[in-house]
Amino acid sequence: MSIQSQTVAEFAITYSRFLDAEGHPTQDLPESLKNADTLRKLYEYMVLNRTFDAKAVALQRTGKMGTYPSSAGQEAIGVGVGAAMQEGDVSVPYYRDHGAHLIRGGSIEEIYLLWGGDERGNDYATLKQDFPVAVPIASQSLHAVGVAKAIQYRKQSRAVVTFIGDGGTSEGDFYEAINLAGVWKLPVLFVINNNFWAISVPLSEQTICKTLAQKGIAAGVSGEQVDGNDVLAVTYATEQALKRIREGHGPHIIEALTYRMCDHTTADDAKRYQPPEEVESYKKEDPILRLRNYLVSQNLWDEEQEKTLYARVKQTVEQAVHAYESIPDQPPTAIFDYLYATLPHDLIEQRDILLANLGAHHE
Amino acid sequence: MSEITLVEAVTQALAYELAHDENVIVFGEDVGANGGVFRATEGLQKRFGTDRVLDTPLAESMIVGMAVGMAAEGLKPIAEIQFMGFIYPALDQIISHASRLRNRTRGRLSCPMVIRAPYGCGIHAPEHHSESTESILAHIPGLRVVIPSSPTRAYGLLLAAMRDPDPVIFLEPTRIYRKIKQEVPDNGVALPLDRCFLLREGTDITLVSWGAMLTETMTAAQNLQQQGINCEVIDVATIKPLDIDSIIQSVEKTGRCVIIHEAAKTCGVGAEIAAQLAEKALMSLRAPIQRVTGFDTIVPLYKMEHLYLPSVARILNAAHEVMAFE
């Protein structure tokens, strides 16, 4: 008997960042990130993300909104990925990608509406083909490959970006999705928001893989890590990945390393399991502070601009809160009206029962 | 015109729609070169190409999840799950997404798609190849669940399913895939998705069934005719939404109802039909409603399968029981 071995895969996972925690450049910035307006826009949307997000938590705490998943500390991922996407691309999110929604032209009010218990929050005014938030973990990865298949079938140059958390990469749907994306060379980018916590379970109990990006290797899908608190690294990696994807090179995985600087949702208390010293150590990695330090060091930002920005963002958020709070309720029949294109006869009967009983209440 | 089987009628409907709607894409495990394990997609890949008729990797959740994404982009995915017993990994995608996307987005995105699955027992296959768990799906808001019982209805109902703007589960009874042959004109004419079909007119008992069990039901009706008992036979065909009005109309005439299905008894679709008759037609009933169903057991492996499956004799017994009431 002879045993032969063959090296079928050798891989290294690259890790990239452009700014260290203090905002010092670690290498030369690519041309696309030297534009002052681009840099300021990234900064402004991260500030908007954090501000609207803090307000969402405050609304929940005061009984004006339901359970809400914060994206505090992870703004660079949504904002950076969203900034690199183009019009016509499709976002298939999980639930901590608010930054991508905002920078792609989605509204704050839509996010408030959804988490305020109103389905109209998913009826996006501008991002008509983007998927709504997926609550069941990893199930959205498969929708993304389906959207990508439709794009490929029609020979379009659009791309799909789908987001998932670190815990989500343990789900079968994630593996099924990257496998199919590889087999069919689909135009889809998988972005893993690795914030090290899946509610209370740390990454070390989720997998013994050294990286989550390498999970693509077995499916023949390339992957890389970026500093998820460096919005420049996230933006650039996404731009490069989407360029290759549009050229027909197939799927890619970006694992963005960050930290969950918040409870899982407003119904959670992370103090029960996140070590305080760990949380403390990540404070100095803050993505907003980092970019501001860099902008200031390059003379692209000053106190005056900072004050103006915060005043403007405050006003934007207040307007969104006002719009959210003043939208009239959906009519009671709305619980029936969108189940089917045409309501079947048995549901017409049930809808009538609802209306008849509402009438009785009002009397 | 030559006569074709139910499975050939499925192929004919798929081919018609592939030829007439470029958004239609047929995919699943072994549906391409192999033409499906039951040959339901025989020759389709050769005729329409690998862009339109695709083999997928072996992953059921993926098949349905991918269909959700394709449908949201305006395609018409027609997915095959190889057997109903293997649909369970895809239930999350069916229940959590396909059935809900329209409602979740207030109509912005929707899921026009068909999930075809061979179902039911009677083909001497291993475990899991004999499931008839249609009531799990009939319970889910946002879906339609359709079960043909003949080549003609397979053709017309599948066309309707493929043209429907919402997700349709289309369950094909394997036991009668090749049992009945009919002339089925390939005229692209669909049948309604929300109506029962009257297979036999009668005045004494309404026999209600669907899918393969209509074979035993029709045999029982003929036997009863020889005994002077005149049965009306209804093919429910679309179990969700249920056309209860047609069943009520029949029961108002006969005053007696026996419901026959292959699925287990508890929470079967028969229970829903019986409950609605009790709500809406109790005063028309001259006898308690009877159900002749599979037992609440695991479907046995094929040597004992005949013990599980409702027999003509059990239908006759139930008919005699309801006839004992004046």
Side-chain angles (χ1 to χ4, degrees):
Chain A
M1 177 178 123
S2 76
I3 298 172
Q4 294 183 337
S5 75
Q6 183 194 2
T7 303
V8 293
E10 282 182 297
F11 64 92
I13 298 296
T14 62
Y15 171 86
S16 61
R17 70 178 347 186
F18 289 113
L19 301 177
D20 66 15
E22 285 78 41
H24 301 126
T26 57
Q27 55 178 307
D28 247 8
L29 258 51
E31 284 307 312
S32 65
L33 293 175
K34 284 181 176 164
N35 182 302
D37 289 338
T38 303
L39 295 173
R40 281 193 287 257
K41 184 178 174 188
L42 293 171
Y43 180 67
E44 288 170 8
Y45 272 95
M46 286 200 293
V47 170
L48 179 66
N49 186 346
R50 184 159 301 176
T51 311
F52 109 87
D53 184 270
K55 186 68 189 178
V57 174
L59 287 168
Q60 191 279 334
R61 296 290 186 236
T62 51
K64 293 174 181 165
M65 217 172 83
T67 301
Y68 169 76
S70 171
S71 49
Q74 299 145 88
E75 296 87 352
I77 299 174
V79 168
V81 171
M85 290 175 72
Q86 294 179 4
E87 206 179 326
D89 289 349
V90 179
S91 169
V92 184
Y94 78 130
Y95 46 74
R96 247 181 264 284
D97 325 306
H98 309 122
H101 183 75
L102 297 179
I103 200 165
R104 278 167 53 68
S107 79
I108 297 172
E109 186 193 341
E110 286 165 350
I111 301 173
Y112 286 163
L113 265 178
L114 173 66
W115 301 101
D118 190 324
E119 291 86 350
R120 288 174 297 182
N122 286 328
D123 185 10
Y124 303 151
T126 50
L127 303 170
K128 289 293 186 190
Q129 287 307 118
D130 275 15
F131 261 64
V133 164
V135 177
I137 304 304
S139 53
Q140 73 281 3
S141 304
L142 292 172
H143 307 157
V145 296
V147 173
K149 181 65 199 169
I151 288 169
Q152 184 186 61
Y153 176 71
R154 293 187 171 132
K155 299 181 170 62
Q156 297 166 336
S157 65
R158 302 154 68 206
V160 185
V161 177
T162 186
F163 299 82
I164 192 167
D166 42 300
T169 67
S170 297
E171 290 269 11
D173 279 1
F174 172 71
Y175 289 101
E176 293 184 17
I178 58 172
N179 182 60
L180 183 74
V183 176
W184 286 354
K185 241 181 171 184
L186 294 174
V188 57
L189 172 66
F190 297 89
V191 176
I192 303 169
N193 173 333
N194 181 357
N195 64 21
F196 286 88
W197 292 94
I199 306 189
S200 66
V201 177
L203 186 65
S204 58
E205 293 178 41
Q206 203 69 241
T207 179
I208 59 162
C209 276
K210 283 192 163 33
T211 72
L212 299 177
Q214 79 197 59
K215 289 194 172 193
I217 301 298
V221 175
S222 59
E224 65 181 302
Q225 284 186 321
V226 299
D227 182 340
N229 282 13
D230 175 3
V231 72
L232 305 187
V234 175
T235 305
Y236 185 69
T238 308
E239 276 173 1
Q240 294 301 305
L242 290 180
K243 183 169 175 287
R244 290 192 302 271
I245 285 169
R246 276 184 235 284
E247 287 166 356
H249 296 293
H252 184 67
I253 296 172
I254 293 176
E255 176 190 359
L257 296 162
T258 182
Y259 191 82
R260 209 185 74 213
M261 297 297 285
C262 51
D263 299 327
H264 162 66
T265 66
T266 49
D268 175 47
D269 177 9
K271 289 190 192 71
R272 294 166 62 89
Y273 50 83
Q274 279 183 335
E277 61 280 6
E278 187 179 280
V279 178
E280 198 53 41
S281 75
Y282 275 100
K283 278 186 181 162
K284 63 176 193 301
E285 300 278 340
D286 187 88
I288 294 178
L289 193 59
R290 183 183 307 200
L291 184 59
R292 183 169 67 212
N293 285 342
Y294 175 72
L295 290 175
V296 169
S297 74
Q298 303 297 304
N299 294 320
L300 297 172
W301 198 253
D302 59 27
E303 269 311 307
E304 194 55 38
Q305 284 166 304
E306 180 87 349
K307 266 202 292 193
T308 312
L309 170 65
Y310 271 87
R312 196 177 75 221
V313 162
K314 186 167 178 257
Q315 196 186 14
T316 305
V317 171
E318 276 170 7
Q319 280 167 356
V321 171
H322 179 72
Y324 159 63
E325 288 183 331
S326 53
I327 188 170
D329 285 343
Q330 299 183 81
T333 51
I335 69 170
F336 289 96
D337 291 342
Y338 302 94
L339 287 169
Y340 298 88
T342 309
L343 199 61
H345 52 89
D346 56 338
L347 285 175
I348 293 173
E349 188 182 305
Q350 292 183 24
R351 189 179 61 181
D352 289 345
I353 293 169
L354 170 74
L355 288 176
N357 282 280
L358 287 177
H361 276 299
H362 291 157
E363 274 163 21
Chain B
M1 187 190 306
S2 61
E3 294 188 329
I4 60 172
T5 61
L6 196 156
V7 70
E8 288 165 342
V10 167
T11 317
Q12 184 172 296
L14 292 170
Y16 186 94
E17 215 57 8
L18 277 163
H20 289 83
D21 183 352
E22 62 175 16
N23 288 323
V24 168
I25 299 198
V26 171
F27 56 91
E29 298 158 6
D30 306 296
V31 305
N34 193 39
V37 294
F38 285 102
R39 307 291 174 258
T41 53
E42 178 83 49
L44 295 181
Q45 189 178 61
K46 203 171 173 194
R47 181 169 161 201
F48 295 100
T50 50
D51 279 354
R52 308 287 306 283
V53 182
L54 316 163
D55 281 322
T56 67
L58 210 166
E60 290 77 15
S61 181
M62 182 213 76
I63 289 172
V64 176
M66 171 178 71
V68 170
M70 292 165 86
E73 278 288 314
L75 293 183
K76 272 285 178 76
I78 314 300
E80 177 177 301
I81 297 292
Q82 203 157 72
F83 282 88
M84 193 182 196
F86 305 136
I87 208 169
Y88 309 128
L91 282 183
D92 182 40
Q93 289 292 343
I94 296 173
I95 297 173
S96 302
H97 296 297
S99 66
R100 293 169 180 237
L101 196 59
R102 178 187 294 282
N103 183 69
R104 179 180 295 151
T105 61
R106 284 301 180 251
R108 180 172 63 84
L109 299 174
S110 59
C111 274
M113 62 196 272
V114 179
I115 302 168
R116 297 178 38 247
Y119 102 125
C121 62
I123 54 161
H124 290 200
E127 197 184 350
H128 309 294
H129 293 68
S130 308
E131 308 280 301
S132 52
T133 42
E134 67 269 24
S135 69
I136 294 175
L137 296 159
H139 191 65
I140 304 306
L143 298 180
R144 290 176 199 276
V145 184
V146 180
I147 303 170
S149 64
S150 71
T152 306
R153 280 184 294 282
Y155 179 76
L157 291 171
L158 183 53
L159 283 178
M162 290 190 282
R163 293 168 193 172
D164 195 85
D166 290 301
V168 180
I169 312 290
F170 194 82
L171 302 174
E172 301 164 6
T174 53
R175 194 149 56 90
I176 55 167
Y177 252 159
R178 295 185 169 80
K179 202 168 188 174
I180 315 159
K181 281 192 158 193
Q182 290 174 333
E183 284 188 1
V184 184
D186 193 11
N187 54 14
V189 176
L191 287 168
L193 276 189
D194 54 356
R195 284 283 165 265
C196 295
F197 297 93
L198 188 64
L199 300 193
R200 193 180 196 282
E201 283 194 67
T203 51
D204 297 325
I205 312 177
T206 302
L207 303 179
V208 178
S209 191
W210 53 91
M213 281 316 302
L214 278 160
T215 312
E216 285 78 6
T217 302
M218 288 298 279
T219 305
Q222 283 149 21
N223 285 0
L224 289 162
Q225 185 68 54
Q226 285 160 15
Q227 300 166 29
I229 301 168
N230 194 359
C231 292
E232 184 139 305
V233 177
I234 290 178
D235 174 4
V236 177
T238 298
I239 60 168
K240 183 186 185 69
L242 194 60
D243 173 19
I244 197 68
D245 291 345
S246 295
I247 301 172
I248 289 172
Q249 212 175 2
S250 174
V251 169
E252 282 172 347
K253 181 170 66 172
T254 62
R256 300 179 184 85
C257 183
V258 177
I259 303 160
I260 302 106
H261 63 65
E262 184 174 323
K265 188 169 196 174
T266 300
C267 298
V269 175
E272 179 60 29
I273 295 171
Q276 292 204 35
L277 287 174
E279 284 173 349
K280 295 172 176 169
L282 188 64
M283 297 309 157
S284 302
L285 287 167
R286 298 156 72 175
I289 298 164
Q290 292 289 314
R291 283 181 286 161
V292 182
T293 71
F295 296 112
D296 287 349
T297 65
I298 309 297
V299 184
L301 296 185
Y302 72 87
K303 278 191 176 174
M304 295 205 291
E305 204 173 60
H306 63 285
L307 300 173
Y308 171 88
L309 201 64
S311 60
V312 173
R314 281 175 60 198
I315 302 171
L316 293 177
N317 283 343
H320 289 135
E321 263 188 58
V322 297
M323 285 308 289
F325 292 83
E326 278 308 310

